[in-house]
């Protein structure tokens, strides 16, 4: 029945998400997250201790938890895993980053001031897609402004999510740079 198919899809998608978070979000294994970060950003950081995991464990937005976030070298990177294409990811990321920056400000004991500009980590937002829609390209830049009621191409206010297709056979350069991501992709394909 349709209900059974829906349940199977929910279970399969939840299983993928939990496995992804276990592989890359475990604070005891920062090496895997550092490898993923390097692959997504074409960087070559070597010391996992430079990476600070900032994932907000108890944030729930519409029943969806924040997957993985970290700070390294004054970049705040949010990585979300998706088993279905969601055009609302820029909006979700906007809310998640609000929470992440709020946490950053309170932990850093930073206060708003009218005399000194507060410097914050530069945001990076990746959505890793491994759903069944084979028409999704290797990479999509998703913009918050596409959701505005009134089109606005001024660039005065923008928030971007970079969707990366991690299905097996896609994004070979990223997969070669992060062997664990490639293995995850192969596992999910099976």
């Amino acid at each position: 029945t349709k209900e059974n198919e829906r349940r199977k899809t929910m279970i399969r998608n939840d299983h993928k998400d939990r496995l992804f978070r276990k592989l890359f979000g475990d604070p005891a294994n920062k090496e895997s997250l550092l490898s993923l970060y390097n692959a997504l950003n074409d960087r070559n950081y070597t010391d996992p201790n430079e990476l600070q995991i900032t994932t907000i464990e108890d944030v729930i937005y519409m029943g969806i938890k924040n997957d993985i976030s970290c700070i390294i070298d004054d970049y705040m990177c949010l990585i979300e895993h998706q088993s279905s294409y969601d055009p609302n990811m820029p909006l979700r990321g906007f809310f998640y980053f609000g929470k992440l920056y709020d946490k950053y400000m309170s932990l850093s004991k930073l206060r708003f001031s009218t005399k000194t500009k507060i410097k914050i980590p530069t945001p990076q937002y990746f959505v890793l897609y491994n759903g069944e829609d084979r028409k999704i390209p290797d990479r999509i830049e998703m913009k918050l402004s596409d959701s505005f009621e009134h089109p606005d191409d001024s660039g005065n206010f923008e928030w971007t999510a970079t969707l990366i297709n991690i299905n097996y056979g896609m994004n070979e350069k990223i997969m070669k740079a992060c062997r664990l991501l490639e293995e995850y992709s192969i596992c999910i394909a099976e």
Side-chain angles (χ1 to χ4, degrees), residues 51-174:
L51 189 138
Q52 174 190 357
I53 294 177
T54 59
T55 303
I56 301 173
E57 299 295 334
D58 60 349
V59 169
I60 298 178
Y61 172 69
M62 295 176 57
I64 301 167
K65 290 184 181 178
N66 163 260
D67 287 340
I68 300 168
S69 61
C70 64
I71 296 176
I72 187 166
D73 195 21
D74 293 323
Y75 288 96
M76 183 179 290
C77 183
L78 170 63
I79 303 168
E80 285 291 305
H81 175 272
Q82 290 291 299
S83 295
S84 57
Y85 179 79
D86 182 352
N88 297 305
M89 293 308 291
L91 182 58
R92 280 181 42 195
F94 179 74
F95 286 115
Y96 285 146
F97 270 100
K99 297 282 187 192
L100 289 168
Y101 281 123
D102 185 52
K103 179 180 175 183
Y104 174 82
M105 296 283 289
S106 66
L107 291 176
S108 302
K109 308 249 188 294
L110 293 172
R111 300 285 180 254
F112 288 106
S113 166
T114 57
K115 297 180 191 230
T116 307
K117 183 178 294 272
I118 296 172
K119 295 295 218 169
I120 58 175
T122 303
Q124 299 173 314
Y125 181 31
F126 296 98
V127 177
L128 303 185
Y129 169 80
N130 73 335
E132 295 178 8
D133 185 349
R134 300 298 173 207
K135 291 181 262 171
I136 301 292
D138 273 7
R139 183 181 195 102
I140 300 172
E141 297 296 321
M142 304 169 73
K143 299 191 177 295
L144 180 62
S145 61
D146 292 338
S147 297
F148 294 168
E149 286 287 346
H150 300 283
D152 179 5
D153 59 359
S154 69
N156 289 335
F157 190 81
E158 191 58 82
W159 197 259
T160 304
T162 303
L163 183 138
I164 306 287
N165 189 337
I166 61 167
N167 279 303
Y168 183 68
M170 304 295 283
N171 281 296
E172 290 180 26
K173 182 179 177 186
I174 291 172

Side-chain angles (χ1 to χ4, degrees), residues 1-12:
T1 69
K2 282 190 175 189
E3 180 61 24
N4 285 343
E5 285 300 313
R6 187 185 70 77
R7 283 186 188 150
K8 284 180 191 175
T9 300
M10 281 179 46
I11 290 168
R12 187 171 57 237

